[in-house]
Amino acid sequence: FSNDHPYVIGKGASFSLSFFSGVATDMNILGTPNIEFLNLTHLKNFKNFDLFLKKNIPMYRIRYLDLTLGVDNEQELKKTIDKIETDKKKVVMHLKKKYYNYYINPDNSKKILKLFKF
């Protein structure tokens, strides 16, 4: 935990960990993979929380759009950290591709706006 700006912290980090934050997309630009550790399976009424389902797992938009590496438990966290340590370059390329697909491509940017209900 820190009060420093995310760019300062993330620049030299192996990865970042969030519990739901837009910082995940900032880390994509820095080349620092973000892991979102958030288990929402206990929520019953997903629509009240603006959640999306993928493989029957409720999640927020950033994870749903693959802009972060989502995990629901400690076992998945360890597996994802191992994946980053094994081939960080490949993980970063995947996250950056998703980022540029949604945020740079004007057609897909409109889709993002619809998901965020702007």
Side-chain angles (χ1 to χ4, degrees), residues 6-65:
Y7 287 118
V8 173
I9 299 168
K11 191 172 183 180
S14 297
F15 65 90
S16 64
L17 182 68
S18 66
F19 303 100
F20 175 62
S21 171
V23 170
T25 57
D26 297 331
M27 294 299 109
N28 289 340
I29 296 302
L30 290 177
T32 303
N34 182 79
I35 302 170
E36 183 180 88
F37 194 160
L38 186 63
N39 185 329
L40 301 172
T41 56
H42 63 285
L43 298 176
K44 300 296 179 214
N45 192 351
F46 303 137
K47 292 187 181 200
N48 287 345
F49 295 97
D50 251 355
L51 298 176
F52 297 83
L53 283 176
K54 186 186 286 185
K55 297 182 182 177
N56 214 27
I57 299 170
M59 58 190 70
Y60 287 108
R61 290 172 195 91
I62 294 171
R63 182 173 173 184
Y64 178 77
L65 296 172

Coordinates of all heavy atoms in Angstrom, one line a residue, residues 6-65:
P6 N 0.6 5.7 -9.0 CA 0.7 4.3 -9.6 C 1.8 4.2 -10.6 O 2.4 3.1 -10.7 CB -0.7 4.1 -10.3 CG -1.6 5.0 -9.5 CD -0.8 6.2 -9.1
Y7 N 2.1 5.2 -11.4 CA 3.2 5.1 -12.4 C 4.5 5.0 -11.7 O 5.4 4.2 -12.2 CB 3.2 6.3 -13.3 CG 2.1 6.3 -14.3 CD1 1.1 7.3 -14.3 CD2 1.9 5.3 -15.3 CE1 0.1 7.3 -15.2 CE2 0.9 5.3 -16.2 CZ 0.0 6.3 -16.2 OH -1.1 6.3 -17.1
V8 N 4.7 5.6 -10.6 CA 6.0 5.6 -9.8 C 6.1 4.1 -9.3 O 7.2 3.5 -9.4 CB 6.0 6.6 -8.7 CG1 7.2 6.4 -7.8 CG2 6.0 8.0 -9.3
I9 N 5.1 3.6 -8.7 CA 5.1 2.3 -8.1 C 5.3 1.2 -9.2 O 6.1 0.3 -9.0 CB 3.9 2.0 -7.3 CG1 3.8 3.1 -6.1 CG2 3.8 0.6 -6.7 CD1 2.4 3.1 -5.4
G10 N 4.5 1.3 -10.2 CA 4.4 0.3 -11.2 C 5.5 0.2 -12.1 O 5.8 -0.9 -12.7
K11 N 6.3 1.3 -12.3 CA 7.3 1.3 -13.3 C 8.4 0.2 -13.1 O 8.8 -0.5 -14.0 CB 8.0 2.6 -13.3 CG 8.9 2.8 -14.5 CD 9.4 4.3 -14.6 CE 10.3 4.4 -15.8 NZ 10.8 5.8 -16.0
G12 N 8.8 -0.1 -11.9 CA 9.8 -1.1 -11.6 C 9.3 -2.4 -11.0 O 10.0 -3.3 -10.7
A13 N 8.0 -2.5 -11.0 CA 7.4 -3.7 -10.3 C 7.3 -4.9 -11.3 O 7.2 -4.7 -12.5 CB 5.9 -3.4 -9.9
S14 N 7.4 -6.1 -10.7 CA 7.2 -7.3 -11.5 C 5.7 -7.5 -11.9 O 5.4 -7.9 -13.0 CB 7.6 -8.5 -10.7 OG 9.0 -8.5 -10.4
F15 N 4.8 -7.1 -11.1 CA 3.4 -7.1 -11.3 C 2.7 -6.2 -10.3 O 3.4 -5.8 -9.3 CB 2.8 -8.5 -11.3 CG 2.9 -9.2 -10.0 CD1 1.8 -9.0 -9.1 CD2 3.9 -10.0 -9.6 CE1 1.9 -9.7 -7.9 CE2 4.0 -10.6 -8.4 CZ 2.9 -10.5 -7.5
S16 N 1.5 -5.8 -10.5 CA 0.7 -5.1 -9.5 C -0.5 -6.0 -9.1 O -0.9 -6.9 -9.9 CB 0.3 -3.7 -10.0 OG -0.6 -3.9 -11.1
L17 N -1.0 -5.7 -8.0 CA -2.2 -6.4 -7.4 C -3.2 -5.4 -7.1 O -2.9 -4.4 -6.4 CB -1.7 -7.2 -6.2 CG -2.8 -8.1 -5.5 CD1 -3.2 -9.2 -6.4 CD2 -2.3 -8.6 -4.2
S18 N -4.4 -5.6 -7.5 CA -5.5 -4.7 -7.2 C -6.7 -5.6 -6.8 O -6.8 -6.8 -7.0 CB -5.9 -3.8 -8.4 OG -6.4 -4.6 -9.4
F19 N -7.7 -4.9 -6.2 CA -8.9 -5.6 -5.7 C -10.1 -5.0 -6.5 O -11.2 -5.3 -6.1 CB -9.1 -5.4 -4.2 CG -7.9 -5.9 -3.5 CD1 -6.9 -5.0 -3.0 CD2 -7.7 -7.3 -3.3 CE1 -5.8 -5.5 -2.3 CE2 -6.6 -7.8 -2.6 CZ -5.6 -6.9 -2.2
F20 N -9.9 -4.2 -7.5 CA -10.8 -3.6 -8.4 C -10.4 -2.2 -8.6 O -10.7 -1.4 -7.7 CB -12.3 -3.7 -8.1 CG -13.2 -3.0 -9.1 CD1 -13.2 -3.4 -10.4 CD2 -13.9 -1.9 -8.7 CE1 -13.9 -2.7 -11.4 CE2 -14.7 -1.2 -9.6 CZ -14.7 -1.6 -11.0
S21 N -9.8 -1.9 -9.6 CA -9.3 -0.5 -9.8 C -8.9 -0.3 -11.3 O -8.5 -1.2 -12.0 CB -8.0 -0.3 -9.0 OG -7.4 0.9 -9.3
G22 N -9.1 1.0 -11.7 CA -8.7 1.4 -13.1 C -7.2 1.4 -13.2 O -6.7 1.5 -14.4
V23 N -6.5 1.3 -12.1 CA -5.1 1.3 -12.2 C -4.6 0.1 -13.1 O -3.5 0.2 -13.7 CB -4.4 1.2 -10.8 CG1 -2.9 1.0 -10.8 CG2 -4.7 2.5 -10.0
A24 N -5.4 -0.9 -13.1 CA -5.0 -2.1 -14.0 C -4.7 -1.7 -15.4 O -3.7 -2.1 -16.0 CB -6.1 -3.1 -13.9
T25 N -5.5 -0.8 -16.0 CA -5.3 -0.3 -17.3 C -4.0 0.5 -17.4 O -3.3 0.5 -18.4 CB -6.5 0.4 -17.9 OG1 -6.8 1.5 -17.1 CG2 -7.7 -0.6 -18.1
D26 N -3.7 1.3 -16.4 CA -2.5 2.1 -16.4 C -1.3 1.2 -16.4 O -0.3 1.5 -17.1 CB -2.5 3.0 -15.1 CG -3.6 4.1 -15.1 OD1 -4.0 4.5 -16.2 OD2 -4.0 4.4 -14.0
M27 N -1.4 0.1 -15.7 CA -0.2 -0.8 -15.6 C 0.0 -1.4 -17.0 O 1.2 -1.7 -17.3 CB -0.5 -1.9 -14.6 CG -0.5 -1.4 -13.1 SD 1.0 -0.6 -12.6 CE 0.5 1.1 -12.5
N28 N -1.0 -1.6 -17.8 CA -0.8 -2.2 -19.1 C 0.1 -1.3 -20.0 O 1.0 -1.8 -20.7 CB -2.2 -2.3 -19.9 CG -3.0 -3.4 -19.3 OD1 -2.5 -4.3 -18.6 ND2 -4.3 -3.4 -19.6
I29 N -0.1 0.0 -19.9 CA 0.8 0.9 -20.6 C 2.2 0.9 -20.1 O 3.2 0.9 -20.9 CB 0.3 2.4 -20.5 CG1 -1.1 2.4 -21.2 CG2 1.2 3.4 -21.1 CD1 -1.2 2.0 -22.6
L30 N 2.4 0.7 -18.8 CA 3.8 0.6 -18.3 C 4.4 -0.8 -18.6 O 5.6 -0.9 -18.4 CB 3.7 0.8 -16.7 CG 3.4 2.1 -16.2 CD1 3.3 2.1 -14.7 CD2 4.4 3.1 -16.7
G31 N 3.7 -1.8 -19.0 CA 4.2 -3.1 -19.2 C 4.3 -3.9 -17.9 O 5.1 -4.8 -17.8
T32 N 3.5 -3.5 -16.9 CA 3.5 -4.2 -15.6 C 2.1 -4.9 -15.5 O 1.1 -4.3 -15.4 CB 3.6 -3.2 -14.5 OG1 4.8 -2.5 -14.6 CG2 3.6 -3.9 -13.1
P33 N 2.1 -6.2 -15.6 CA 0.9 -7.0 -15.5 C 0.2 -6.7 -14.2 O 0.8 -6.6 -13.1 CB 1.3 -8.4 -15.6 CG 2.7 -8.4 -16.1 CD 3.3 -7.1 -15.7
N34 N -1.1 -6.6 -14.2 CA -1.9 -6.4 -13.0 C -2.8 -7.6 -12.8 O -3.3 -8.2 -13.7 CB -2.9 -5.2 -13.2 CG -3.7 -5.0 -11.9 OD1 -3.2 -4.4 -11.0 ND2 -4.9 -5.4 -11.9
I35 N -2.8 -8.0 -11.5 CA -3.7 -9.1 -11.1 C -4.8 -8.6 -10.3 O -4.5 -7.9 -9.3 CB -2.9 -10.2 -10.3 CG1 -1.7 -10.7 -11.1 CG2 -3.8 -11.3 -9.8 CD1 -0.7 -11.5 -10.3
E36 N -6.0 -8.8 -10.7 CA -7.2 -8.4 -9.9 C -7.6 -9.6 -9.0 O -8.1 -10.6 -9.5 CB -8.3 -7.9 -10.8 CG -9.5 -7.4 -10.0 CD -10.6 -7.0 -10.9 OE1 -11.5 -7.8 -11.2 OE2 -10.6 -5.8 -11.2
F37 N -7.4 -9.5 -7.7 CA -7.8 -10.5 -6.8 C -9.1 -10.1 -6.2 O -9.2 -9.3 -5.2 CB -6.7 -10.6 -5.7 CG -6.8 -11.8 -4.8 CD1 -5.7 -12.2 -4.1 CD2 -8.0 -12.6 -4.7 CE1 -5.7 -13.4 -3.3 CE2 -8.0 -13.7 -3.9 CZ -6.9 -14.1 -3.2
L38 N -10.2 -10.7 -6.7 CA -11.6 -10.3 -6.3 C -12.5 -11.4 -6.6 O -12.8 -11.8 -7.7 CB -12.0 -9.0 -7.0 CG -13.3 -8.4 -6.6 CD1 -13.3 -7.9 -5.1 CD2 -13.6 -7.2 -7.5
N39 N -13.1 -12.0 -5.6 CA -14.1 -13.1 -5.7 C -15.5 -12.5 -5.4 O -15.7 -12.2 -4.3 CB -13.7 -14.2 -4.8 CG -14.6 -15.4 -5.0 OD1 -15.8 -15.3 -5.3 ND2 -14.1 -16.6 -4.7
L40 N -16.3 -12.5 -6.4 CA -17.7 -12.0 -6.3 C -18.7 -13.0 -6.4 O -19.9 -12.7 -6.5 CB -17.9 -10.9 -7.3 CG -16.9 -9.7 -7.3 CD1 -17.1 -8.9 -8.5 CD2 -17.1 -8.9 -6.0
T41 N -18.3 -14.3 -6.2 CA -19.3 -15.4 -6.4 C -20.4 -15.4 -5.4 O -21.5 -16.0 -5.6 CB -18.6 -16.8 -6.5 OG1 -17.8 -16.9 -5.3 CG2 -17.7 -16.9 -7.7
H42 N -20.2 -14.8 -4.2 CA -21.2 -14.8 -3.2 C -22.3 -13.8 -3.5 O -23.4 -13.9 -2.8 CB -20.5 -14.4 -1.8 CG -19.9 -13.0 -1.9 ND1 -18.8 -12.7 -2.5 CD2 -20.4 -11.8 -1.4 CE1 -18.5 -11.4 -2.4 NE2 -19.5 -10.9 -1.7
L43 N -22.2 -12.9 -4.4 CA -23.2 -12.0 -4.8 C -24.3 -12.7 -5.6 O -24.0 -13.4 -6.5 CB -22.7 -10.8 -5.6 CG -21.6 -10.0 -4.9 CD1 -21.1 -8.9 -5.8 CD2 -22.2 -9.3 -3.6
K44 N -25.5 -12.5 -5.2 CA -26.7 -13.2 -5.8 C -27.3 -12.4 -7.0 O -27.6 -12.9 -8.0 CB -27.7 -13.5 -4.8 CG -27.2 -14.4 -3.7 CD -26.8 -15.8 -4.2 CE -26.3 -16.6 -3.1 NZ -25.2 -17.5 -3.5
N45 N -27.5 -11.1 -6.8 CA -28.1 -10.2 -7.8 C -27.1 -9.4 -8.5 O -26.8 -8.3 -8.1 CB -29.2 -9.3 -7.1 CG -30.0 -8.7 -8.1 OD1 -29.8 -8.7 -9.3 ND2 -31.1 -8.0 -7.6
F46 N -26.5 -10.0 -9.5 CA -25.4 -9.4 -10.2 C -25.7 -8.0 -10.9 O -24.9 -7.1 -10.9 CB -24.9 -10.3 -11.3 CG -24.4 -11.6 -10.9 CD1 -24.8 -12.8 -11.6 CD2 -23.7 -11.8 -9.7 CE1 -24.4 -14.0 -11.1 CE2 -23.3 -13.0 -9.2 CZ -23.7 -14.2 -10.0
K47 N -26.9 -7.9 -11.4 CA -27.3 -6.6 -12.1 C -27.3 -5.4 -11.2 O -27.0 -4.3 -11.6 CB -28.7 -6.8 -12.7 CG -28.6 -7.8 -13.9 CD -29.9 -7.9 -14.6 CE -29.8 -8.9 -15.7 NZ -30.7 -8.8 -16.8
N48 N -27.5 -5.6 -9.9 CA -27.4 -4.5 -8.9 C -26.0 -4.0 -8.7 O -25.8 -2.9 -8.2 CB -28.0 -4.9 -7.6 CG -29.5 -5.0 -7.6 OD1 -30.2 -4.5 -8.6 ND2 -30.1 -5.6 -6.6
F49 N -25.0 -4.8 -9.1 CA -23.6 -4.4 -8.9 C -22.9 -4.2 -10.2 O -21.7 -4.0 -10.2 CB -22.9 -5.6 -8.2 CG -23.5 -5.8 -6.8 CD1 -24.4 -6.8 -6.5 CD2 -23.0 -5.0 -5.7 CE1 -24.9 -6.9 -5.2 CE2 -23.5 -5.2 -4.5 CZ -24.4 -6.1 -4.2
D50 N -23.6 -4.1 -11.3 CA -23.0 -3.8 -12.6 C -21.9 -4.8 -13.0 O -20.8 -4.5 -13.4 CB -22.3 -2.4 -12.6 CG -23.1 -1.4 -13.5 OD1 -24.0 -1.9 -14.2 OD2 -22.7 -0.3 -13.6
L51 N -22.2 -6.1 -12.8 CA -21.3 -7.2 -13.0 C -21.6 -7.9 -14.3 O -22.7 -7.8 -14.8 CB -21.3 -8.2 -11.9 CG -21.0 -7.7 -10.5 CD1 -21.2 -8.8 -9.5 CD2 -19.6 -7.2 -10.5
F52 N -20.6 -8.6 -14.8 CA -20.7 -9.3 -16.0 C -20.3 -10.8 -15.7 O -19.6 -11.0 -14.7 CB -19.7 -8.8 -17.1 CG -20.0 -7.4 -17.5 CD1 -19.5 -6.3 -16.8 CD2 -20.7 -7.2 -18.7 CE1 -19.8 -5.0 -17.2 CE2 -21.0 -5.9 -19.1 CZ -20.5 -4.8 -18.3
L53 N -20.8 -11.7 -16.5 CA -20.5 -13.1 -16.2 C -19.7 -13.6 -17.4 O -19.9 -13.4 -18.6 CB -21.8 -14.0 -16.2 CG -22.6 -13.9 -14.9 CD1 -23.9 -14.7 -15.1 CD2 -21.8 -14.4 -13.7
K54 N -18.6 -14.3 -17.0 CA -17.7 -15.0 -18.0 C -17.4 -16.4 -17.4 O -16.9 -16.4 -16.2 CB -16.5 -14.3 -18.3 CG -15.6 -14.9 -19.4 CD -14.3 -14.2 -19.6 CE -14.5 -12.9 -20.2 NZ -13.2 -12.2 -20.5
K55 N -17.7 -17.5 -18.1 CA -17.5 -18.8 -17.5 C -18.2 -19.0 -16.2 O -17.7 -19.5 -15.3 CB -16.1 -19.2 -17.5 CG -15.4 -19.2 -18.8 CD -13.9 -19.6 -18.6 CE -13.2 -19.6 -20.0 NZ -11.8 -19.8 -19.9
N56 N -19.4 -18.3 -16.1 CA -20.2 -18.4 -14.9 C -19.6 -17.7 -13.7 O -19.9 -18.0 -12.5 CB -20.7 -19.8 -14.6 CG -22.1 -19.8 -14.0 OD1 -22.9 -18.9 -14.2 ND2 -22.4 -20.8 -13.2
I57 N -18.6 -16.8 -13.9 CA -17.9 -16.1 -12.8 C -18.3 -14.7 -12.9 O -18.0 -14.0 -14.0 CB -16.4 -16.3 -12.9 CG1 -16.0 -17.8 -12.8 CG2 -15.7 -15.5 -11.9 CD1 -14.5 -18.1 -13.1
P58 N -18.8 -14.1 -11.9 CA -19.2 -12.7 -11.9 C -17.9 -11.8 -11.8 O -17.0 -12.1 -11.0 CB -20.1 -12.5 -10.7 CG -19.7 -13.6 -9.8 CD -19.2 -14.7 -10.6
M59 N -17.8 -10.7 -12.5 CA -16.7 -9.8 -12.5 C -17.0 -8.5 -13.0 O -18.1 -8.3 -13.7 CB -15.6 -10.4 -13.4 CG -15.9 -10.7 -14.8 SD -14.7 -11.6 -15.8 CE -14.9 -13.2 -15.1
Y60 N -16.2 -7.5 -12.7 CA -16.4 -6.2 -13.2 C -15.8 -6.0 -14.6 O -15.1 -6.9 -15.1 CB -15.7 -5.1 -12.3 CG -16.5 -4.9 -11.0 CD1 -16.0 -5.4 -9.8 CD2 -17.7 -4.3 -11.0 CE1 -16.7 -5.3 -8.6 CE2 -18.4 -4.1 -9.8 CZ -17.9 -4.6 -8.6 OH -18.6 -4.4 -7.5
R61 N -16.0 -4.9 -15.3 CA -15.7 -4.7 -16.7 C -14.2 -4.9 -17.0 O -13.9 -5.5 -18.0 CB -16.1 -3.3 -17.1 CG -17.5 -3.0 -17.2 CD -17.8 -1.5 -17.4 NE -19.2 -1.2 -17.1 CZ -19.6 -0.9 -15.9 NH1 -18.8 -0.7 -14.9 NH2 -20.9 -0.6 -15.8
I62 N -13.3 -4.4 -16.2 CA -11.9 -4.5 -16.5 C -11.5 -5.9 -16.7 O -10.7 -6.3 -17.6 CB -11.1 -3.7 -15.5 CG1 -11.4 -2.2 -15.6 CG2 -9.6 -3.9 -15.7 CD1 -10.8 -1.4 -14.5
R63 N -11.9 -6.7 -15.8 CA -11.6 -8.2 -15.9 C -12.3 -8.8 -17.0 O -11.8 -9.6 -17.7 CB -11.9 -8.8 -14.5 CG -11.5 -10.3 -14.5 CD -11.7 -10.9 -13.1 NE -11.6 -12.3 -13.1 CZ -11.8 -13.0 -12.0 NH1 -12.1 -12.4 -10.9 NH2 -11.6 -14.3 -12.0
Y64 N -13.6 -8.5 -17.2 CA -14.4 -9.0 -18.2 C -13.8 -8.8 -19.6 O -13.8 -9.6 -20.5 CB -15.8 -8.4 -18.2 CG -16.7 -8.9 -19.2 CD1 -17.3 -10.2 -19.1 CD2 -17.1 -8.1 -20.3 CE1 -18.2 -10.6 -20.1 CE2 -17.9 -8.5 -21.3 CZ -18.5 -9.8 -21.2 OH -19.4 -10.2 -22.2
L65 N -13.2 -7.6 -19.8 CA -12.6 -7.3 -21.1 C -11.1 -7.7 -21.2 O -10.4 -7.4 -22.1 CB -12.6 -5.7 -21.2 CG -14.0 -5.2 -21.4 CD1 -14.0 -3.6 -21.3 CD2 -14.7 -5.6 -22.6

